[in-house]
């Protein structure tokens, strides 16, 4: 199932739903953002290659780090910028992960 949960302000998708049924996921996602499911096959072509090749997030680098715990920190300035931008655009930012809520509502108004 592509949709993990729905809220009055948007739809949340999981990576697991993308991996379990890429075609269904992409069709639902594209319809949701107003593009249309007829583009799903074309959009899925990007999954055939490592879109992060030669970066820290490349498949090869992620597999090399598998099982290793890494500390990731976000600079205080970046955190403050995100909080200010979210406040200006009336987007809720929750938790240490700075999960944003209300993006679809804001963009569709």
């Amino acid at each position: 199932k592509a949709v993990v949960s729905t809220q009055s302000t948007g739809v949340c998708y999981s990576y697991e739903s993308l991996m379990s049924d890429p075609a269904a996921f992409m069709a639902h996602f594209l319809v949701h953002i107003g593009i249309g499911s007829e583009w799903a096959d074309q959009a899925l072509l990007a999954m055939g290659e490592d879109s992060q090749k030669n970066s820290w997030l490349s498949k090869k680098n992620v597999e090399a780090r598998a099982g290793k715990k890494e500390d990731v920190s976000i600079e205080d300035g970046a955190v403050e910028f995100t909080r200010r931008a979210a406040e200006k655009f009336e987007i809720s930012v929750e938790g240490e992960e700075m999960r944003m809520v209300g993006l679809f509502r804001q963009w569709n108004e």
Side-chain angles (χ1 to χ4, degrees), residues 21-28 30 35-48:
D21 190 347
F25 176 96
M26 191 58 67
H28 187 277
L30 293 176
I35 293 177
S37 62
E38 65 273 11
W39 291 94
D41 289 339
Q42 187 70 32
L44 288 170
L45 290 176
M47 293 181 63

Side-chain angles (χ1 to χ4, degrees), residues 90-108:
E90 299 176 3
I91 299 168
S92 298
V93 179
E94 301 174 349
E96 289 183 17
E97 304 88 15
M98 298 186 71
R99 185 175 303 119
M100 294 186 186
V101 180
L103 294 175
F104 290 112
R105 176 184 51 81
Q106 182 66 30
W107 290 340
N108 290 318

Side-chain angles (χ1 to χ4, degrees), residues 37-90:
S37 62
E38 65 273 11
W39 291 94
D41 289 339
Q42 187 70 32
L44 288 170
L45 290 176
M47 293 181 63
E49 305 233 353
D50 187 351
S51 63
Q52 302 295 325
K53 189 175 183 179
N54 299 321
S55 79
W56 185 76
L57 293 172
S58 71
K59 183 177 179 181
K60 180 178 81 176
N61 288 332
V62 169
E63 287 173 351
R65 291 190 309 274
K68 298 177 185 173
K69 182 176 167 111
E70 295 184 32
D71 291 327
V72 176
S73 63
I74 301 173
E75 295 294 326
D76 291 340
V79 172
E80 182 60 24
F81 172 80
T82 301
R83 291 196 190 286
R84 285 180 161 184
E87 183 178 317
K88 175 166 179 51
F89 293 104
E90 299 176 3

